[in-house]
């Protein structure tokens, strides 16, 4: 009896996702969800409040867009910026989805049309800004409209812990009060725990499913270079990406203007973007970038949010960003489509000073938190360590790859000095000789043997360390001091940034430690990444370029961004497979029914004629072309992390312990556990759920309707957690599945 219920519920669980998989194929032309997307979508179908944290490019939009098409009523999506709304709605419409936005850019007549469409029950997704959503008129209107759910995009805007606090987001907590029947789902790329907690409490989410994805972005190659002719360093990166889109970030408006002008003089078309420009000029720059009439944008951090452009191939920071969080956010705009992209950060000690000045003038960001954040990014820049590992660990997740194959450190581009310990000892002992009472520049001057007045007056020219590094030059010694600070052997304190030895610095005097100091100005040649997330294997570059021009033309005709027509990944696959029929074209990833109908013929014609004139094979079977969308940010269950979690479970660690160790939310870890249970075909849930609870769950399996566990949760009035239910069900399902023969 119980058995029957369970297998029925199993089938229904699969059923609930069935229609979503169908729309994924028909509407978007993709064949599978990424693991975390799937869990996130389930909570939407389950009408259970949720928070999904995925890095930029992780595929958050699909988490609410695809279920919205499968549920009755209209989903309301809260989005902070007009440009962002427009992009998403354009992209949805290009896929044939009935989506709309309401904001100040619409005329009265346009607004009426949107309202009529909604009343007619046609609209599946409505995008609005929070302040408009919360107006009485809008709330009243929505009360008369069947709502499937609310999706809060860029949900970190609700938290003043976040990097982009928007007070108007605060009002959104009334949604739960005003629309008790509709679930609220929040989405953000911000990784920090306080922000996550804040989102859940500010929105008043109930029993929220919190899903946190993997923060690594394996398709990005990171490089951090000490400034040494900044402009040339920027140009070098642009040269490596001729004809591709990229962003150059500068700290100040003045730098933006200067850099853009210099680049243009050197023959790169680059447009500026900063808050000091008129709205119209800014819009022009942004449009040119999005429509790909200009490849490079030079901007302050004012640029970026609201840019959904998926094929940004490089992001250069011409100056140090303000924090690791900002770096993650800004560099994350590269490679949203999962294709390989490059992020280069150029820094100097002067950048830290610049930021401190800016922060002093800005009461909002002058707290010690801001200084700590600045210190953290400064340390990361100067430490020769794996960038992927450092970034992921900074956000509290573990990273187990020995060599990422995609950063300057792992690619062996940073040349290190041969005997860093002896060199460090020379510097540290000089700091001691001056009784830990002077700053970095003074110490460096002593080491290079300066005889300037102040040094002589203080008698520092008589010290045994005077002139010890005379051959290395002031710049190099300053850099090494910075690196020793960044690696915590030295510390700087007080207004005058006095140098002193830390505990590990003292140990280093006894040769105990592992400092890494780089050879100044001698970055080795950049190498190609050694891991391939995407390849150009089999892609005909000429055809790719021809397809790109075609895309650009179609985009201008339709007045939409180029990547909305087709993403780069799709163009690459087209240039690899070279379909000759509509049927073959429809099988390419990223080609849904609507786009096939709208653009198929135009592209096919180009492919046919190109292949004919270049004598190229068409309809190429590429069994080894797994390449196009090779899972960008691996979502929740990537090899490394999942294996790590499996080992923890094997060792008998509790869910809470594992969550703590891996820096994941409990519900995410329960997801890992379910996979572990399935893989190991474990049928006994007793290590995680007590027997009495298990029996109560198993005794009420009929409550699971269409794979939804919420009714059961509610039946127990919240006394049995979602997690316990999920674990018991998985073990039960394992006992139902016949062992593979
Ligand atoms: P985010 O909002 O998290 O930054 P997006 O929703 O913009 O990410 O998605 C990033 C890119 O990944 C888009 O080009 C999107 O079409 C693509 N994408 C998302 N989900 C999938 C999937 N399941 N399969 C293939 N591509 C996907
Ligand atoms: Zn690395």
């Amino acid at each position: 009896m119980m058995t029957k219920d369970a297998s029925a519920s199993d089938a229904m669980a699969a059923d609930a996702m069935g229609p979503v998989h169908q729309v994924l194929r028909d509407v978007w032309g993709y064949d599978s969800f990424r693991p975390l997307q799937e869990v996130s979508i389930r909570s939407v179908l389950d009408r259970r409040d949720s928070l999904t944290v995925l890095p930029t490019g992780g595929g958050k939009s699909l988490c609410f867009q695809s279920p919205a098409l499968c549920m009755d009523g209209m989903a309301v999506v809260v989005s902070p910026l007009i440009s962002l709304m427009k992009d998403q709605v354009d992209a949805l419409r290009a896929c044939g989805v009935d989506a709309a936005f309401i904001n100040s850019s619409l005329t009265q007549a346009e607004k009426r049309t949107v309202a009529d469409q909604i009343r007619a029950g046609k609209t599946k997704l409505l995008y609005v800004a929070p302040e408009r959503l919360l107006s009485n008129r809008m709330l009243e209107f929505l009360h008369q409209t069947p709502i499937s759910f609310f999706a809060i995009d860029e949900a970190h805007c609700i938290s003043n812990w976040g990097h982009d606090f928007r007070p108007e987001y605060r009002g959104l907590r009334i949604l739960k009060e005003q629309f008790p029947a509709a679930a609220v789902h929040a989405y953000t790329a911000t990784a920090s725990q306080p922000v996550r907690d804040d989102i859940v409490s500010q929105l008043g989410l109930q029993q929220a499913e919190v899903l946190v994805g993997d923060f690594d972005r394996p398709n990005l190659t990171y490089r951090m270079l000490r400034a040494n002719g900044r402009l040339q360093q920027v140009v070098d990166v642009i040269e490596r990406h001729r004809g591709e889109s990229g962003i150059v970030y500068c700290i100040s408006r003045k730098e933006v203007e200067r850099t853009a002008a210099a680049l243009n003089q050197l023959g790169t078309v680059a447009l500026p973007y900063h808050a000091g420009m008129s709205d119209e000029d800014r819009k022009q720059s942004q449009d040119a970038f999005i429509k790909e009439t200009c490849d490079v944008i030079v901007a302050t951090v004012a640029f970026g949010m609201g840019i959904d452009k998926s094929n940004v191939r490089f992001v250069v920071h011409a100056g140090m960003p303000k924090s690791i969080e900002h770096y993650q956010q800004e560099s994350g705009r590269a490679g949203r489509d999962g294709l390989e992209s490059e992020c280069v950060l150029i820094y100097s000690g002067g950048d830290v000073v610049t930021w401190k000045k800016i922060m002093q003038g800005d009461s909002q960001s002058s707290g010690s938190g801001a200084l700590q954040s600045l210190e953290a990014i400064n340390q990361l820049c100067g430490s020769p360590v794996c960038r992927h590992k450092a970034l992921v660990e900074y956000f509290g997740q573990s990273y187990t790859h020995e060599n990422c194959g995609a950063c300057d450190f792992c690619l062996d581009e940073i040349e290190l000095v041969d005997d860093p310990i002896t060199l460090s000892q020379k510097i540290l002992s000089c700091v001691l000789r001056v009784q830990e009472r002077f700053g970095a520049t003074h110490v460096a001057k002593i080491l290079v043997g300066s005889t300037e007045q102040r040094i002589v007056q203080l008698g520092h020219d008589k010290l045994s360390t005077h002139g010890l590094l005379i051959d290395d030059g002031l710049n190099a010694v300053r850099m090494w001091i910075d690196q020793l600070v960044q690696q915590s052997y030295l510390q700087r304190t007080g207004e005058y940034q006095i140098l002193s030895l830390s505990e590990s610095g003292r140990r280093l005097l006894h040769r105990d430690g592992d400092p890494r100091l780089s050879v100044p100005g001698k970055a080795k040649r950049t190498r190609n990444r050694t891991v391939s997330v995407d390849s150009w294997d089999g892609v005909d570059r000429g055809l790719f370029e021809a397809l790109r021009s075609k895309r650009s033309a179609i985009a201008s005709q339709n007045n939409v961004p180029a990547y909305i027509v087709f993403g780069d990944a799709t163009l690459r696959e087209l240039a690899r497979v070279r379909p000759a029929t509509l049927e073959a074209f429809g099988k390419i990833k990223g080609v849904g029914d609507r786009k096939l109908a709208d653009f198929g013929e135009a592209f096919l014609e180009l492919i046919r004629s190109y292949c004919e004139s270049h004598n190229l094979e068409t309809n190429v079977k590429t069994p080894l072309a797994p390449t196009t969308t090779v899972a960008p940010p691996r979502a929740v269950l990537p090899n490394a992390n999942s294996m790590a979690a499996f080992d923890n479970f094997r060792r008998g660690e509790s869910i809470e312990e594992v969550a703590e160790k891996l820096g994941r939310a409990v519900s995410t870890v329960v997801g890992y556990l379910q996979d572990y249970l399935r893989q190991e075909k474990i049928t006994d849930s007793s290590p995680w759920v007590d027997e009495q609870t298990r029996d109560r769950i198993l005794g009420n399996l009929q409550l699971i309707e269409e794979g939804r566990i919420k009714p059961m949760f509610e039946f127990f009035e919240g006394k049995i957690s979602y997690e316990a239910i999920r674990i018991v069900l998985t073990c039960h399902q394992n006992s139902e599945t016949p062992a593979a023969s």
Side-chain angles (χ1 to χ4, degrees), residues 471-643:
D471 294 334
D472 295 291
L474 193 65
N475 279 342
V477 178
R478 272 302 319 255
M479 174 185 82
W480 290 326
I481 292 176
D482 283 348
Q483 290 181 341
L484 289 171
V485 172
Q486 284 152 344
Q487 293 165 46
S488 302
Y489 293 103
L490 281 175
Q491 57 209 14
R492 275 190 255 254
T493 41
E495 192 186 342
Y496 298 107
Q497 299 283 292
I498 303 289
L499 288 177
S500 60
L501 271 63
S502 66
E503 220 8 75
S504 58
R506 286 177 207 285
R507 283 201 298 275
L508 190 56
L509 289 173
H510 304 286
R511 305 195 71 81
D512 174 10
D514 177 27
R516 294 168 190 200
L517 304 177
S518 52
V519 177
K522 235 177 126 188
K524 294 185 199 166
R525 281 198 41 220
T526 51
R527 305 177 179 208
N528 284 333
R529 49 184 297 137
T530 56
V531 285
S532 175
V533 281
D534 168 73
S535 81
W536 285 91
D537 280 357
V539 176
D540 186 278
R541 295 268 189 156
L543 177 56
F544 177 80
E545 287 307 324
L547 291 167
R548 227 166 79 103
S549 310
K550 179 103 219 157
R551 172 177 71 180
S552 195
I554 293 181
S556 322
Q557 253 169 36
N558 291 276
N559 198 24
V560 292
Y563 59 90
I564 281 182
V565 175
F566 284 129
D568 277 18
T570 302
L571 292 197
R572 278 197 203 180
E573 201 176 327
L574 285 173
R576 181 188 287 122
V577 177
R578 307 190 281 273
T581 61
L582 270 181
E583 197 200 345
F585 197 99
K587 295 211 171 97
I588 301 290
K589 271 195 204 120
V591 182
D593 292 350
R594 180 60 174 268
K595 288 190 184 176
L596 181 66
D598 285 352
F599 311 128
E601 274 306 338
F603 281 93
L604 268 182
E605 206 182 281
L606 171 68
I607 295 171
R608 281 196 215 109
S609 71
Y610 185 94
C611 290
E612 218 174 85
S613 59
H614 291 76
N615 216 355
L616 277 173
E617 187 191 349
T618 52
N619 289 335
V620 180
K621 299 233 174 350
T622 50
L624 60 145
T627 33
T628 30
T629 38
V630 177
R634 295 155 308 174
V636 78
L637 265 186
N639 351 359
N641 285 331
S642 93
M643 292 321 286

Side-chain angles (χ1 to χ4, degrees), residues 24 28-34 37 54-65 88 153-154 188-189 308 310 332 335-338 563 567 589-590 629 632-633:
L24 182 71
W28 281 275
Y30 296 140
D31 19 69
S32 58
F33 285 111
R34 297 171 188 154
Q37 284 180 324
L54 267 177
T56 312
K60 287 181 286 298
S61 331
L62 233 50
C63 294
F64 54 86
Q65 291 172 346
Q88 293 230 345
D153 207 1
E154 311 288 353
T188 180
D308 257 353
S310 65
R336 269 167 178 256
D337 53 12
Y563 59 90
K589 271 195 204 120
T629 38

Side-chain angles (χ1 to χ4, degrees), residues 205-454:
L205 301 187
Q206 281 147 30
Q207 265 94 37
E209 172 120 56
V210 179
L211 299 162
V212 182
D214 188 337
F215 274 89
D216 188 33
R217 301 277 314 271
N219 60 317
L220 304 185
T221 299
Y222 296 108
R223 298 193 160 89
M224 297 187 178
L225 314 175
R226 199 177 158 87
N228 183 12
R230 267 186 227 252
L231 185 61
Q232 188 55 49
Q233 287 172 307
V234 173
V235 170
D236 287 346
V237 183
I238 297 176
E239 287 294 335
R240 286 203 282 280
H241 297 274
R242 273 282 160 225
E244 297 181 334
S245 295
I247 307 172
V248 178
Y249 280 113
C250 299
I251 299 179
S252 66
R253 296 173 189 181
K254 219 167 61 199
E255 279 299 313
V256 167
E257 297 284 356
R258 258 214 304 259
T259 309
L263 288 176
N264 282 303
Q265 258 182 0
L266 292 170
T268 298
V269 183
L271 292 175
Y273 186 104
H274 59 69
M277 292 161 54
S278 71
D279 284 355
E280 198 173 319
D281 288 347
R282 267 201 319 229
K283 188 170 171 337
Q284 255 179 20
S285 291
Q286 177 164 325
D287 280 355
F289 185 61
I290 287 173
K291 299 213 169 117
E292 305 200 344
T293 53
C294 146
D295 288 333
V296 180
I297 207 105
V298 185
T300 56
V301 296
F303 179 77
M305 196 179 181
I307 306 297
D308 257 353
K309 188 170 164 56
S310 65
N311 60 340
V312 174
R313 292 275 79 87
F314 65 94
V315 171
V316 185
H317 280 77
M320 187 189 290
K322 196 175 169 178
S323 69
I324 295 184
E325 285 83 353
H326 282 83
Y327 187 59
Q328 173 87 354
Q329 187 85 16
E330 289 149 24
S331 63
R333 295 188 176 122
R336 269 167 178 256
D337 53 12
L339 301 184
E340 85 279 10
S341 309
E342 186 180 4
C343 303
V344 179
L345 191 170
I346 302 164
Y347 66 93
S348 77
D351 295 344
V352 177
V353 178
T354 307
W355 274 120
K356 284 185 179 161
K357 274 198 201 126
I358 296 175
M359 287 171 181
Q360 268 163 9
D362 172 11
S363 59
Q364 264 207 328
S365 67
S366 61
S368 67
L371 283 178
Q372 268 171 22
S373 301
L374 181 62
E375 199 43 49
I377 182 76
N378 184 31
Q379 285 204 3
L380 173 57
C381 290
S383 309
V385 292
C386 171
R387 314 301 183 183
H388 280 272
K389 184 173 161 68
L391 287 170
V392 165
E393 289 183 347
Y394 181 81
F395 292 111
Q397 296 187 341
S398 53
Y399 189 82
T400 49
H401 297 283
E402 278 287 318
N403 183 312
C404 75
C407 80
D408 49 359
F409 180 71
C410 294
L411 290 170
D412 199 22
E413 292 172 2
I414 305 178
E415 191 160 351
L416 299 177
V417 301
D418 287 337
D419 183 1
I421 295 195
T422 308
L423 177 56
S424 304
Q425 284 177 325
K426 290 178 182 169
I427 296 168
L428 297 181
S429 54
C430 190
V431 175
L432 287 181
R433 290 283 179 281
V434 295
Q435 267 107 39
E436 302 177 294
R437 278 168 46 199
F438 290 85
T441 304
H442 189 81
V443 170
K445 281 182 180 165
I446 300 171
L447 283 161
V448 300
S450 160
T451 49
E452 68 176 45
Q453 203 182 13
R454 185 145 182 270

